[in-house]
């Protein structure tokens, strides 16, 4: 299935034009979403991204204060109600939304997901799912018990070029995958000029900062591309800047062995030049995403002597993800990446931090939570 | 110091044109070299590369048979004598060369270096230095005792763009280095269509194959660029193809922590699409070599929003290395990378293989050999 808004593919014609929203069913209705947590990501990235979707609109803003929440009502036409976190937990305005989007610090995801589940509202939760694997497992339980869908917000999985790359790997275009190499770094203290921010507070962020926030991208994108799960990990971590005193991983390097034998090496830093890439090397070719992870994803494919390049500035990755969430919920279709998928990452993250602390190889065991 | 054959730099003018052979002294005389081991590398890469150097010429070929050695005499004008390995050890034709270039399987490097040292001939030994760190240390001892110079053949250290990159790092162009990410893979069985080749035989290759042969490039180039030494390593390795039965690392991923705190993650494979890159990420920018390691080295520098690209097809990396060797020997100047430098890599390789076998972090201790 293709769409009239299919991105142009240029040189990619030699590898076939790629599909766009092949998951789309164009269901009836509009999914009304409550936005929980109105930080810069929600305000600057999410609200504009979903402002003109056919089947999704933001109707409720949930924040720490009535003023902050009502500010969004004043600013954003579709948003009808602005309520506090406490009011949300009390079921306030529950008639005004059909589903929730959770974008708070990691350690608060669970409580909003539990309330949403109690209210029978489908959940779209930002990644990483929670501060710990145990809390992520509790979220899976809560949503399963209430029978509400749970989507974990891995943008790369609905990025058309990443989906196309997965098709190319499935079709054997790079042979058998052998290795993945990823990097993801940024200068956190330039983005948020505050050493006391939540990403540096273990009570709010969970196991740490750079792997939780950045390393999760090469980890999850590799899982998605390879359709493989992590088996064991190794890691090296260090913090030297004062602001990173309470987290182990101002910088990290980690290795993940997948169940298909592919080995991912990745590096993350919250205090380095902002740069991202992901390379998947196969026996007969390679795929290179660069930049990779932050709303702008280009793809280069090499096979033998041939190189094909795809540039993807045509989609907004948050628009794609909300369009997908609304389509799945409205059509009652299967949703992925779901909570169990996210839980596997949480256990991999837990294992990576244990490996970083002990210097030993650590196995990944998701069954313990299920 | 610049040279009339300085490569053009294009966009690089914004970061200053780079120096070419700033080490050159233009000494008197010509260094006559015996080539030990006439495999494809020596025949196809080295002999053409050094054919028109001012201060270096190949005058003796040393091989397994008189016929093979004399074939080089017939083919190559400067080569006067063709002798066997045994004849070399007996001192045959010693008047016809001033220094040796050793390009045999790893486990044979030591014996030729020892004979060269006994004969008072400077040694240019291919990397990795030997099959084991212990044997590399014996080579250091032999050359020190005989007071002959020992150069280990890391091509990247005399590649002008790599030297330029080191200057840029020294000058703080990327801020403080944080992370390095490297990859180096090839399809060994396509290059040499023989499952019984020496690179797959532990008696000839040493600890293993892909880290010894390929992983050593990101390891050593990072050391050179950062002017830092490795402190500890982690590694994951696997072999699945039948031809790799006797070596642990058909594929590998490894992490090296350096004494300046920078962490290198690298991957190597002898059974994957041929691709190489090396990225050095700093607090304020990054350097990316791609391709990186195999005679063709391009460099991209990013700092903030700016990007500068250098393309380097202008030099032959083996020409540079032999020109450097001859210059150093004839001028009696200090030579680097020397044997102790190479020994540090050998101990790092030993540690990487131990880490791959045990799954534990392994420290690097060079003092044990000295």
């Amino acid at each position: 299935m293709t769409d009239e808004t299919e991105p142009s593919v240029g040189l990619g014609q030699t590898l076939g034009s790629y599909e766009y929203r092949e998951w789309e069913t164009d269901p009836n209705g509009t999914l009304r979403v409550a936005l929980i947590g109105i930080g810069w990501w929600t305000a600057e990235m999410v609200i504009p991204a979903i402002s003109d979707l056919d089947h999704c609109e933001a109707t409720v803003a949930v924040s720490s204060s009535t003023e902050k929440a009502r500010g969004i009502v004043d600013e954003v036409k579709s948003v009808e109600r602005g309520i506090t976190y406490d009011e949300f937990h009390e079921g306030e305005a529950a008639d005004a939304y059909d589903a929730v989007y959770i974008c708070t610090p990691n350690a608060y995801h669970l409580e909003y997901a539990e309330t949403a589940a109690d209210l029978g509202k489908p959940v779209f939760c930002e990644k990483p799912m929670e501060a710990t694997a145990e809390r992520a497992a509790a979220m899976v339980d809560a949503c399963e018990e209430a029978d509400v869908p749970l989507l974990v917000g891995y943008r790369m999985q609905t990025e058309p070029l990443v989906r196309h790359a997965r098709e190319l790997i499935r079709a054997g275009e790079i042979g058998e995958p052998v290795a993945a190499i990823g990097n993801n770094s940024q200068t956190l203290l330039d983005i948020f000029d505050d050493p006391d921010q939540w990403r540096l507070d273990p009570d709010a962020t969970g196991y740490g900062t750079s792997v939780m926030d950045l390393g999760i991208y090469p980890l999850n994108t590799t899982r998605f591309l390879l359709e493989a799960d992590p088996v064991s990990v190794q890691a090296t971590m260090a913090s030297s800047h004062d602001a990173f005193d309470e987290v182990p991983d101002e910088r990290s390097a980690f290795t993940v062995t997948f169940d298909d034998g592919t080995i991912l090496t990745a590096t993350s830093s919250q205090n380095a030049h902002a740069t991202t890439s992901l390379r998947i090397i196969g026996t007969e070719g390679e795929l290179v995403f660069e930049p990779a992870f932050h709303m702008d994803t280009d793809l280069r494919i090499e096979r033998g002597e041939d190189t094909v390049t795809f540039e993807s500035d045509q989609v907004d990755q948050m628009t794609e993800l909300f369009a997908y969430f609304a389509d799945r919920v409205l059509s009652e279709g299967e949703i992925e990446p779901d909570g169990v998928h996210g839980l596997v990452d949480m256990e991999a993250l837990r294992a990576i931090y244990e490996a970083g602390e002990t210097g030993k190889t650590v196995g990944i065991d998701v069954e313990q939570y299920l």
Side-chain angles (χ1 to χ4, degrees), chain A residues 83-319:
Chain A
I83 61 175
T84 66
Y85 293 133
D86 287 343
E87 288 167 340
F88 172 77
H89 286 307
E90 290 157 9
E92 185 83 15
D95 292 344
Y97 62 92
D98 307 310
V100 303
Y101 168 66
I102 303 172
C103 188
T104 63
N106 303 335
Y108 301 93
H109 291 177
L110 175 58
E111 63 183 79
Y112 300 108
E114 284 178 334
T115 295
D118 286 345
L119 294 167
K121 309 291 187 185
V123 175
F124 172 176
C125 180
E126 268 298 340
K127 46 102 207 95
M129 275 176 83
E130 247 287 348
T132 68
E134 289 79 4
R135 292 176 62 84
M139 189 188 300
V140 170
D141 287 345
C143 293
E144 281 184 355
E145 279 166 27
D147 198 23
V148 301
L150 170 56
L151 174 72
V152 183
Y154 295 107
R155 288 195 315 276
M156 303 306 291
Q157 296 201 21
T158 42
E159 159 60 48
L161 274 182
V162 174
R163 296 181 77 82
H164 180 50
R166 185 173 67 163
E167 289 302 316
L168 295 174
I169 292 171
R170 278 181 182 163
E173 288 288 349
I174 62 166
E176 291 295 316
V178 172
I181 303 122
N183 63 280
N184 194 356
S185 54
Q186 64 184 12
T187 313
L188 184 64
L189 295 171
D190 285 349
I191 302 172
F192 306 106
D193 183 18
D194 176 8
D196 295 324
Q197 60 184 287
W198 72 262
R199 282 183 179 81
L200 301 177
D201 173 8
D203 291 340
T205 187
Y207 303 120
T209 188
S210 79
V211 185
M212 291 291 277
D213 196 34
L214 303 172
I216 194 173
Y217 283 85
L219 168 64
N220 186 265
T221 309
T222 302
R223 282 183 66 197
F224 177 75
L225 288 167
L226 301 179
E227 302 177 273
D229 279 327
V231 173
S232 63
V233 302
Q234 298 178 334
T236 302
M237 299 174 175
S239 294
S240 56
H241 187 292
D242 287 348
F244 293 83
D245 265 359
E246 293 183 35
V247 287
D249 60 331
E250 176 184 335
R251 66 184 69 170
S252 91
F254 59 93
T255 301
V256 180
T257 301
F258 287 88
D259 55 10
D260 69 347
T262 308
I263 308 170
L264 162 69
T265 56
T267 185
S268 64
S269 175
Q270 291 281 27
N271 194 15
H273 175 69
T275 177
T276 69
S277 78
L278 180 65
R279 180 186 301 265
I280 309 286
I281 303 172
T283 49
E284 293 173 39
E286 67 176 340
L287 299 169
V288 182
F289 295 97
E290 183 171 8
F293 304 123
H294 300 312
M295 308 299 273
D296 187 13
T297 302
D298 294 347
L299 172 61
R300 186 176 85 235
I301 304 164
E302 292 192 19
R303 185 187 164 98
E305 300 295 309
D306 298 326
T307 299
V308 177
T309 304
F310 297 84
E311 294 193 4
S312 169
D313 291 327
Q314 294 98 336
V315 302
D316 180 305
Q317 291 174 349
M318 286 312 286
T319 302

